[in-house]
Amino acid sequence: MSMLDETEMDSTKKFNELFSELEHCDEEEQKQKIEEMNEIVDEMNNEEFRSIFKSELFDKIDKMIEEKKMSIENTILLLKHAGCCIKLKNVFIPSFGKSSLANRFEKMIIKEEKKKEEKNEKLFVDLCECYIFLNGYINSKMRCVCVPCILKAALKKEESEETQKEVEMALLTLSGMGHCFLRKELYLKEITEIIKHQQKHRNLTKLANQSAWLFLIDRFCSDEHIERIAMNELHFVREATKELEELIGCIDWKRKEEEMSKEEANEVLVITGWTKTIKSFFDSCKLWNEEFVELISSIVQEYRTVKDKFREISYWCISSLRNAAGNGFVPVEDLLKRAVDVVLEGMQRQTYNEGMTTECLRFFENVSIKLKEKKEDDKEEEERKATKRKIFEKMEEEGYEDTIASFHKMFNFLNRHFWITVLSLNISDYFVNV
């Protein structure tokens, strides 16, 4: 067994041992043990999360609550911290939604929401945050209850450290909801107010600001009006470019990840979050303006900065560029000037992985599709042909076709493992012919 495997086993074993002791402790001792468990959770990797946070664990917690062996406050202390880590580390935990604990939380949330007097606002927010953090799918009824509750917490404007943490937690929770449909009257006024206040006063933490934007960008798919607000009123592209460039500039990227300070490690998480937000933006946006060019340049610079040490961020950079190439409103000329070089490099690096390779192939497949679309206007058609010639020459110079050919036998394998967008099996679909 490797040293790494032993370390992982020790972490999960220690967590499970502490958990088994909880029902034999009084509330204060239980709280102390949970704080120890939360420290272990901070260091867990994805596999450890999935091995521990199963339906059996959630059902056991539910039984302990039922038998009054664990208070709801201590339950929240454990699960809210775990949920936050699960979100930050991008781990999918499907088992909570099927557990008896999820049913308990739903009933408690609905009961608290219906109270006219003596409503415990903190408990209400905590329950909603735990429920969304841990749940893979939130039905429309629970969305309508939880989202306004959490946004109310996120609207707090006091500048105390405690309030900042509460606001950060609320916005981080909302950013984990993905593209699920929400009626805009549930959130648009509030999230717009939060972002505008941030732009004026810079009161949010970096993570909270990025989370607020991701929540808004993920709503594009349901309403183009929201996109117009984000683009024309809140100026997302300008904000994202500025935030990304500032974050990249304040980290010493020469140091190894394990040598970074806690603050720098947190900023790496925020950079990863911004890159995913931009990826989501390129996937959905329909309003082009010239500021896009600088945003694409920032992603390219980010890739060049992190490529040697941070493979996850490198992947999200290439994935963002792939989405830009697939967006019908992003001119292919801007991709040629700024992005083609780094995507070629991403394919040709010896340390490639299947996910990165797939995103690179999709990028060039999308570029090829764009360049095959003939223009009705004669001048635009001439420009298209000139662009094709430039890309053809670059690909020929870099040995791009040979690189594609070397991966061609893997296409079926890649399609089985990365099925969201299936790669064409026709190798000519990746080439640019003049």
Side-chain angles (χ1 to χ4, degrees):
M1 183 181 289
S2 69
M3 184 70 72
L4 180 61
D5 290 337
E6 288 178 5
T7 304
E8 289 178 5
M9 190 179 76
D10 287 345
S11 296
T12 56
K13 183 179 178 182
K14 182 63 174 173
F15 181 95
N16 288 328
E17 284 176 356
L18 285 167
F19 180 78
S20 67
E21 294 168 5
L22 292 180
E23 59 184 322
H24 308 297
C25 302
D26 63 32
E27 188 162 353
E28 192 56 38
E29 289 174 322
Q30 199 175 76
K31 184 178 178 181
Q32 291 173 2
K33 287 187 183 295
I34 287 172
E35 287 171 351
E36 285 184 60
M37 293 163 73
N38 286 344
E39 290 178 7
I40 296 170
V41 166
D42 286 336
E43 305 302 321
M44 283 183 184
N45 60 36
N46 291 12
E47 288 304 313
E48 289 172 301
F49 271 113
R50 281 191 281 267
S51 70
I52 286 174
F53 291 96
K54 296 180 176 180
S55 56
E56 293 86 352
L57 179 81
F58 299 125
D59 288 336
K60 177 65 175 175
I61 292 172
D62 184 60
K63 185 177 179 183
M64 289 168 68
I65 295 171
E66 183 68 29
E67 295 175 350
K68 298 189 171 23
K69 293 179 179 178
M70 188 168 180
S71 68
I72 195 66
E73 290 76 17
N74 279 348
T75 301
I76 287 168
L77 180 64
L78 175 64
L79 294 184
K80 193 171 175 179
H81 186 85
C84 178
C85 290
I86 285 166
K87 169 65 180 72
L88 288 171
K89 296 182 182 183
N90 197 35
V91 187
F92 179 59
I93 305 291
S95 52
F96 175 77
K98 300 173 184 176
S99 70
S100 57
L101 184 61
N103 291 331
R104 178 182 294 275
F105 273 31
E106 284 186 15
K107 290 174 183 176
M108 291 181 71
I109 288 168
I110 297 298
K111 181 180 177 181
E112 205 64 41
E113 193 261 343
K114 288 180 177 177
K115 285 183 180 178
K116 302 297 182 185
E117 297 178 1
E118 299 182 1
K119 182 181 290 190
N120 187 332
E121 293 289 351
K122 185 179 186 310
L123 176 63
F124 189 25
V125 172
D126 284 341
L127 287 168
C128 289
E129 288 178 347
C130 282
Y131 184 79
I132 291 179
F133 266 143
L134 296 169
N135 221 328
Y137 172 76
I138 301 102
N139 63 47
S140 58
K141 179 182 178 181
M142 294 306 294
R143 283 179 232 152
C144 292
V145 175
C146 291
V147 170
C149 166
I150 297 172
L151 275 170
K152 185 179 177 181
L155 279 164
K156 293 180 181 178
K157 296 183 174 66
E158 301 92 52
E159 295 187 4
S160 69
E161 185 177 346
E162 183 180 351
T163 299
Q164 276 198 324
K165 286 181 179 178
E166 289 175 5
V167 170
E168 181 180 85
M169 186 67 73
L171 290 170
L172 182 64
T173 306
L174 291 173
S175 72
M177 295 188 66
H179 294 279
C180 65
F181 174 76
L182 280 173
R183 299 195 314 273
K184 60 187 176 185
E185 57 267 25
L186 289 174
Y187 67 88
L188 186 55
K189 179 175 177 291
E190 291 81 2
I191 199 69
T192 301
E193 180 184 336
I194 288 166
I195 291 173
K196 282 184 174 179
H197 192 270
Q198 162 68 2
Q199 290 174 336
K200 186 175 181 180
H201 300 282
R202 297 294 164 183
N203 63 308
L204 297 178
T205 65
K206 293 175 182 179
L207 178 59
N209 184 36
Q210 179 266 311
S211 298
W213 274 113
L214 179 56
F215 174 74
L216 182 61
I217 299 303
D218 279 345
R219 311 277 78 76
F220 277 18
C221 57
S222 60
D223 195 328
E224 288 185 25
H225 171 64
I226 299 164
E227 183 181 352
R228 287 193 291 274
I229 290 174
M231 291 289 287
N232 302 328
E233 190 176 328
L234 301 176
H235 305 288
F236 168 75
V237 175
R238 188 190 312 164
E239 286 286 311
T241 304
K242 178 184 173 184
E243 288 290 324
L244 199 58
E245 289 177 351
E246 285 181 2
L247 282 161
I248 290 169
C250 69
I251 293 177
D252 181 0
W253 296 100
K254 293 178 182 178
R255 286 194 286 176
K256 295 179 181 179
E257 191 170 2
E258 56 270 21
E259 295 173 346
M260 287 185 166
S261 67
K262 187 174 182 179
E263 183 180 351
E264 283 182 315
N266 288 336
E267 286 172 343
V268 168
L269 286 173
V270 179
I271 289 172
T272 306
W274 268 115
T275 314
K276 292 179 184 178
T277 304
I278 293 165
K279 172 186 179 292
S280 184
F281 169 73
F282 279 131
D283 191 38
S284 305
C285 70
K286 300 177 180 65
L287 299 173
W288 166 263
N289 67 43
E290 292 181 358
E291 291 176 345
F292 275 48
V293 176
E294 293 305 316
L295 185 56
I296 291 171
S297 295
S298 292
I299 290 290
V300 168
Q301 182 57 44
E302 179 187 8
Y303 174 83
R304 288 182 170 142
T305 302
V306 306
K307 63 185 179 183
D308 292 324
K309 292 183 180 176
F310 291 85
R311 293 179 65 183
E312 182 188 0
I313 302 179
S314 300
Y315 168 82
W316 290 113
C317 288
I318 297 297
S319 191
S320 297
L321 295 174
R322 185 265 292 183
N323 274 2
N327 187 307
F329 299 89
V330 178
V332 71
E333 292 81 3
D334 290 318
L335 297 170
L336 170 63
K337 290 174 188 173
R338 289 164 176 82
V340 168
D341 283 345
V342 297
V343 182
L344 275 171
E345 182 184 336
M347 284 194 67
Q348 293 170 334
R349 287 174 67 82
Q350 292 182 353
T351 56
Y352 76 89
N353 59 45
E354 289 88 353
M356 178 78 82
T357 300
T358 302
E359 294 298 88
C360 291
L361 288 165
R362 287 172 180 163
F363 173 90
F364 285 109
E365 189 178 14
N366 288 334
V367 166
S368 178
I369 291 168
K370 279 178 179 284
L371 290 174
K372 287 174 182 174
E373 297 170 351
K374 291 189 176 182
K375 307 290 185 181
E376 293 183 7
D377 181 270
D378 289 343
K379 184 179 179 182
E380 288 183 352
E381 178 60 17
E382 285 181 20
E383 290 174 353
R384 182 183 73 91
K385 289 180 178 178
T387 301
K388 284 179 70 175
R389 168 60 65 180
K390 288 178 185 176
I391 290 185
F392 174 81
E393 289 172 353
K394 178 171 283 294
M395 290 178 171
E396 193 172 44
E397 180 182 334
E398 299 289 342
Y400 166 74
E401 293 195 8
D402 289 340
T403 303
I404 289 286
S406 71
F407 286 115
H408 191 230
K409 291 181 180 179
M410 293 177 61
F411 281 14
N412 276 320
F413 168 82
L414 295 173
N415 282 340
R416 286 196 302 272
H417 286 75
F418 303 93
W419 48 267
I420 296 174
T421 304
V422 176
L423 289 166
S424 169
L425 298 179
N426 184 357
I427 198 167
S428 65
D429 288 344
Y430 304 86
F431 301 152
V432 176
N433 300 311
V434 295

